[in-house]
Amino acid sequence: MTLDPFYPIFDSADWIARMLPHGMKLVQLRVKERPEREVAAEIARAKKLCAAAGCVLVVNDYWRLAIAEGCDWLHLGQEDLDTADLGAIRKAGLKLGVSSHDEAELERALATQPDYVALGPVYPTILKQMRFGPQGLDKLGEWKRRIGDLPLVGIGGISLDRAPGVFEAGADIVAAVTDVTLNPDPETRLKAWMAETRKHAKVA
């Protein structure tokens, strides 16, 4: 399947419920620092909402819960790979996206036979403290040449104005977090993102 070129990331099912009416077709639920029981409830609600709206839901990190809730997609960071049971994930039929930041991490990501690879942060980001600096557009192009037809997600510090350059550099999909959630009008911002990114959509 071809994933939507815009990949917003939210930390709650409430955010997802708020944005789905505006045409969102791909989203990641990234819940941090909450009890597992609450995370399970968030995943279950997000899955139901996304299924009704025809939106692809990607669960960040919680692979056991993703399996238990019958989800279709999972995203793992490099640290998550240390403890994830890739055999169980694949046996459950989950499609997998993996983060990468440098050559060693790209090789490790590709060894999992992922369904997409993410590179970030492309630009400086306020989302979280990163042990890697900005990777830049040149590295996006290098990654895309390396991975070929595998979808490449650009993430980190990407604004609406920067998005066209990220696509031109080689990304197939652009992720955004704070550019939507910290905007005074998140709904309008989301719609602007969808309009811009769909100009760059790859046709299957």
Side-chain angles (χ1 to χ4, degrees):
M1 69 178 297
T2 301
L3 293 171
D4 196 89
F6 180 48
Y7 190 9
I9 298 172
F10 298 117
D11 65 3
S12 70
D14 282 345
W15 265 112
I16 291 173
R18 180 176 172 181
M19 293 300 164
L20 280 172
H22 304 287
M24 181 173 70
K25 292 300 176 186
L26 173 64
V27 67
Q28 184 182 127
L29 176 65
R30 180 162 66 190
V31 182
K32 299 292 184 182
E33 298 176 1
R34 290 177 65 178
E36 193 163 297
R37 175 179 51 81
E38 293 182 13
V39 178
E42 290 287 321
I43 292 171
R45 182 176 173 223
K47 180 176 181 286
K48 185 176 180 180
L49 288 165
C50 288
C55 178
V56 173
L57 172 67
V58 183
V59 174
N60 180 277
D61 185 11
Y62 287 91
W63 60 270
R64 291 184 182 87
L65 294 179
I67 292 172
E69 296 296 336
C71 296
D72 296 318
W73 280 85
L74 177 70
H75 181 91
L76 295 176
Q78 291 284 321
E79 295 82 4
D80 303 323
L81 287 175
D82 293 338
T83 55
D85 184 338
L86 293 174
I89 289 165
R90 290 305 192 186
K91 185 176 180 182
L94 280 162
K95 294 181 176 66
L96 179 64
V98 181
S99 297
S100 66
H101 307 86
D102 61 16
E103 289 284 339
E105 290 193 352
L106 177 60
E107 291 301 322
R108 189 184 189 200
L110 292 175
T112 71
Q113 299 183 301
D115 296 279
Y116 72 73
V117 170
L119 173 66
V122 178
Y123 293 99
T125 176
I126 63 171
L127 182 61
K128 60 180 181 178
Q129 283 294 112
M130 301 288 288
R131 60 190 180 91
F132 292 92
Q135 303 299 299
L137 298 180
D138 288 346
K139 197 163 188 180
L140 270 174
E142 178 187 339
W143 253 228
K144 188 57 186 173
R145 288 188 291 274
R146 292 273 300 280
I147 70 175
D149 291 336
L150 195 65
L152 176 63
V153 177
I155 185 171
I158 303 174
S159 64
L160 193 55
D161 293 339
R162 288 169 167 170
V166 175
F167 283 111
E168 288 164 16
D172 302 291
I173 299 166
V174 170
V177 187
T178 57
D179 194 75
V180 174
T181 59
L182 296 184
N183 192 277
D185 185 351
E187 288 84 357
T188 297
R189 191 63 165 179
L190 181 96
K191 287 185 277 190
W193 266 103
M194 290 188 299
E196 177 58 45
T197 55
R198 286 172 187 173
K199 296 176 187 175
H200 305 275
K202 307 291 193 298
V203 179

